[in-house]
């Protein structure tokens, strides 16, 4: 490509380190779409003849058909997808193919291709996350009344419902979707026409190419147009945050599937066995989702470090922008699909959940709240009284709601029989009717609101 300036070809190692075709071949659809938009504009502007523009467009369709049928060859001499496609185009239509590169550079070409790919990636993630939320909604509705222990510090805290717990993850995913949507909106300006770094002297119509490729308009600065990778970093940031949320649910499934918890049984589809212990049923899919989150966070870190010291405009370091994005996208797609499958097929052992909710003095706060509401006791004093009641129940080896009225009144005479209306786990969850609370009526309202928002 630059044979006029160089007398010798590259060393073998240089050829290998310089080639990006092994990974950027994934951009072939975006590369050909960008080229078709570019040549249509060149023809409309009279920069190339209508005849040549039509020949090039037809040739690009021929190249696309070849890629669809046979894939993209990893020819290190044709070091990237752009040179590969140009070579295939020349094979198809001859020397007129050389007119395609008029008024553009590989710098604005790759920035455009990569933006198109990331935009497509965001759209595919959106589809996966919608399906995941639908799975969460279905299981949350099924278990809107199912009592389980709610935890802080992984200690039993207050009873909640399983539906409420699952809806917490629905909220996390809603924020993830909004982050991806924000990133997509912010990135949707087209670099094509920035050329190498300074724009071009040809009378191009950048608005035309931007519109043809579904962008809101062209980028406003040619230096920034070719050197910006914020869109990739924002995609990875959203992916890392989403992976973190998936990992939290995966970790809970891992804990819940263990014998000490016994809250859940994962289906055979999402479990594995042991090569030596026949009794084992391992939550490997959840463990891999948890592990993938670390790799995705690592991809974000890798790209940020690559970009942190680069002067304007393009540097070859930026060739390394794509592998972490591709890796993170593949891992995230797998993680979303796996967690969706696990949520849809899991068996929740609600009897076990209820039993543990009843055994951990989880309604202690309800006793303290009752003392405040019904007896006019300041909360700090009520907290102290309740602590003594918990201690007494613990000494007797019984649940808080099994303490006799005389035992409670021995602790504080202001307690009367009405207190038993709040000490059961069912009464506790039913009383949490504040907006966003765990009461089944609020859980069902949250599910209905979520379905309305999602149009389902």
């Amino acid at each position: 490509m630059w044979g006029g300036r160089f007398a010798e070809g590259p060393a073998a190692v240089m050829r290998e380190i310089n080639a990006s075709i092994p990974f950027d071949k994934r951009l072939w659809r975006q590369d050909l779409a960008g080229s078709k938009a570019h040549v249509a504009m060149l023809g409309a502007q009279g920069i190339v003849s209508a005849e040549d523009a039509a020949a090039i467009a037809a040739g690009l369709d021929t190249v696309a058909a070849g890629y669809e049928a046979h894939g993209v060859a990893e020819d290190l001499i044709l070091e990237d997808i752009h040179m590969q496609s140009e070579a295939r185009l020349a094979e198809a239509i001859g020397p007129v193919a050389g007119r395609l590169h008029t008024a553009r550079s590989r710098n604005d070409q790759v920035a455009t291709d990569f933006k198109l790919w990331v935009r497509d990636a965001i759209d595919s993630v959106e589809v996966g996350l919608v399906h995941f939320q639908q799975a969460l909604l279905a299981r949350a509705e099924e278990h809107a009344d199912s009592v389980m222990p709610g935890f802080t510090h992984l200690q039993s805290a207050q009873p909640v419902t399983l539906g409420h717990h699952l809806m917490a993850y629905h909220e996390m995913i809603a924020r993830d979707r909004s982050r991806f949507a924000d990133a997509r909106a912010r990135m949707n300006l087209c670099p094509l026409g920035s050329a190498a770094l300074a724009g071009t002297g040809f009378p191009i119509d950048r608005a035309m190419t931007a519109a043809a490729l579904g962008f809101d308009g062209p980028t406003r600065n040619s230096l920034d147009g070719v050197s910006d990778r914020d869109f990739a970093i924002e995609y990875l940031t959203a992916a890392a945050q989403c992976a973190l949320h998936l990992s939290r649910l995966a970790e809970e499934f891992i804990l819940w599937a263990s014998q000490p918890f016994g809250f859940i049984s994962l289906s055979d589809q999402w479990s594995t066995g042991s090569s030596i212990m026949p009794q084992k049923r391992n939550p490997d899919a959840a463990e891999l989702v948890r592990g993938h989150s670390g790799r995705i966070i690592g991809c974000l870190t890798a790209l940020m470090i690559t970009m942190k010291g680069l002067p304007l405009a393009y540097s070859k370091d930026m060739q390394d922008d794509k592998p972490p994005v591709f890796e993170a996208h593949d891992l995230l797609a797998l993680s979303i699909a796996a967690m969706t499958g696990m949520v849809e097929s899991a068996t929740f052992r609600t009897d076990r959940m209820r039993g543990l909710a009843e055994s951990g003095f989880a309604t202690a706060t309800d006793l303290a709240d009752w003392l405040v509401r019904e007896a006019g006791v300041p909360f700090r004093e009520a907290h102290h009284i309740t602590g003594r009641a918990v201690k007494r129940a613990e000494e007797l080896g019984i649940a808080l709601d099994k303490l006799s009225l005389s035992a409670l009144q021995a602790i504080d005479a202001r307690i009367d029989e009405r207190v038993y209306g709040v000490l059961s786990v069912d009464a506790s969850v039913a009383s949490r009717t504040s907006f966003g609370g765990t009461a089944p009526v609020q859980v069902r309202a949250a599910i209905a609101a979520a379905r309305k928002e999602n149009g389902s």
Side-chain angles (χ1 to χ4, degrees):
M1 184 172 64
W2 42 74
R5 172 67 178 85
F6 288 75
E8 295 184 59
V13 172
M14 177 60 189
R15 182 176 294 150
E16 186 168 350
I17 196 174
N18 194 50
S20 58
I21 190 63
F23 54 83
D24 72 15
K25 64 183 181 181
R26 289 177 69 150
L27 300 174
W28 73 260
R29 289 181 178 85
Q30 292 76 20
D31 192 61
L32 295 180
S35 290
K36 290 193 77 171
H38 182 65
V39 77
M41 180 275 297
L42 293 178
Q45 293 297 102
I47 298 170
V48 302
S49 70
E51 181 179 84
D52 286 349
I56 291 169
L60 290 169
D61 288 339
T62 300
V63 174
Y67 287 162
E68 286 282 8
H70 308 295
V72 181
E74 294 186 11
D75 186 342
L76 299 188
I77 296 174
L78 300 170
E79 61 189 53
D80 57 32
I81 188 58
H82 322 298
M83 292 177 65
Q84 181 85 220
S85 295
E86 192 171 328
R88 299 289 83 80
L89 181 63
E91 290 173 1
I93 65 172
V96 72
R99 299 191 185 279
L100 173 60
H101 208 58
T102 307
R104 76 173 182 184
S105 162
R106 283 195 300 172
N107 293 356
D108 62 340
Q109 190 178 357
V110 69
T112 302
D113 292 357
F114 198 21
K115 268 197 177 183
L116 289 170
W117 192 94
V118 172
R119 199 175 68 183
D120 291 343
I122 289 173
D123 292 343
S124 71
V125 167
E126 167 70 5
V127 172
L129 290 179
V130 167
H131 289 160
F132 182 44
Q133 284 187 310
Q134 289 170 343
L136 289 167
L137 286 171
R139 301 312 302 271
E141 187 169 44
E142 180 185 345
H143 292 288
D145 297 282
S146 301
V147 174
M148 66 173 289
F151 298 96
T152 62
H153 308 277
L154 207 56
Q155 305 293 310
S156 186
Q158 292 178 276
V160 296
T161 64
L162 175 56
H164 190 57
H165 193 107
L166 293 174
M167 284 302 290
Y169 285 97
H170 183 278
E171 291 299 303
M172 295 180 207
I173 300 305
R175 292 194 297 275
D176 292 327
R177 288 177 61 194
S178 73
R179 272 184 281 270
F180 281 115
D182 286 347
R184 192 190 194 285
R186 199 162 21 253
M187 68 174 278
N188 207 37
L189 295 175
C190 183
L192 199 58
S194 298
L197 73 163
T200 179
F202 288 96
I204 62 173
D205 184 347
R206 294 191 64 204
M208 179 181 174
T209 50
L213 293 168
F215 288 103
D216 297 329
T219 52
R220 292 184 290 269
N221 182 284
S222 59
L223 283 167
D224 182 55
V226 299
S227 64
D228 166 42
R229 293 299 183 270
D230 288 1
F231 64 91
I233 291 173
E234 285 199 66
Y235 172 77
L236 288 175
T237 300
Q241 184 71 70
C242 183
L244 186 154
H245 291 149
L246 297 173
S247 181
R248 292 184 74 178
L249 181 56
E251 170 66 10
E252 293 204 301
F253 275 18
I254 292 163
L255 286 172
W256 292 359
S258 67
Q259 283 77 15
F261 274 83
F263 284 4
I264 192 173
S265 177
L266 297 176
S267 75
D268 290 350
Q269 293 175 301
W270 303 103
S271 305
T272 65
S274 166
S275 64
I276 190 172
M277 295 169 283
Q279 83 281 9
K280 292 295 295 297
R281 186 184 184 83
N282 299 326
D284 281 12
E287 290 170 2
L288 287 166
V289 169
R290 185 175 60 182
H292 287 354
S293 67
R295 291 173 62 186
I296 292 169
I297 292 166
C299 290
L300 168 61
T301 303
L303 183 54
M304 292 180 75
I305 291 174
T306 296
M307 295 300 299
K308 74 176 180 62
L310 297 186
L312 295 178
Y314 181 84
S315 297
K316 197 69 169 183
D317 314 47
M318 292 166 70
Q319 183 166 286
D320 285 338
D321 57 359
K322 288 169 280 296
V325 174
F326 294 160
E327 179 183 3
H329 177 71
D330 292 348
L331 292 171
L332 183 63
L334 277 172
S335 296
I336 294 169
M339 288 312 306
T340 301
M342 280 183 272
V343 168
E344 287 175 336
S345 61
T347 300
F348 294 103
R349 295 183 55 196
T350 53
D351 55 338
R352 173 71 173 170
M353 291 180 175
R354 170 179 281 275
L356 287 183
E358 291 173 338
S359 68
F361 308 111
T363 59
T365 303
D366 297 276
L367 173 56
D369 288 348
W370 184 90
L371 285 164
V372 172
R373 283 194 314 270
E374 305 298 333
V377 178
F379 182 79
R380 283 301 165 202
E381 183 182 352
H383 188 286
H384 181 72
I385 293 166
T386 301
R388 291 171 60 200
V390 168
K391 183 177 181 182
R392 183 58 179 151
E394 195 171 39
E395 289 169 348
L396 296 173
I398 58 177
L400 198 57
D401 63 340
K402 296 299 188 288
L403 278 174
S404 67
L405 182 59
S406 59
L408 288 168
Q409 289 179 332
I411 295 167
D412 193 284
R414 291 169 288 190
I415 300 174
D416 61 46
E417 65 277 356
R418 293 175 299 164
V419 76
Y420 291 105
V422 303
L423 289 184
S424 73
V425 292
D426 290 305
S428 176
V429 297
S431 72
R432 307 293 170 182
T433 56
S434 58
F435 181 79
T438 194
V441 64
Q442 283 294 336
V443 173
R444 291 192 175 91
I447 292 168
R451 286 201 165 122
K452 185 176 180 181
E453 283 180 18
N454 295 339
S456 61

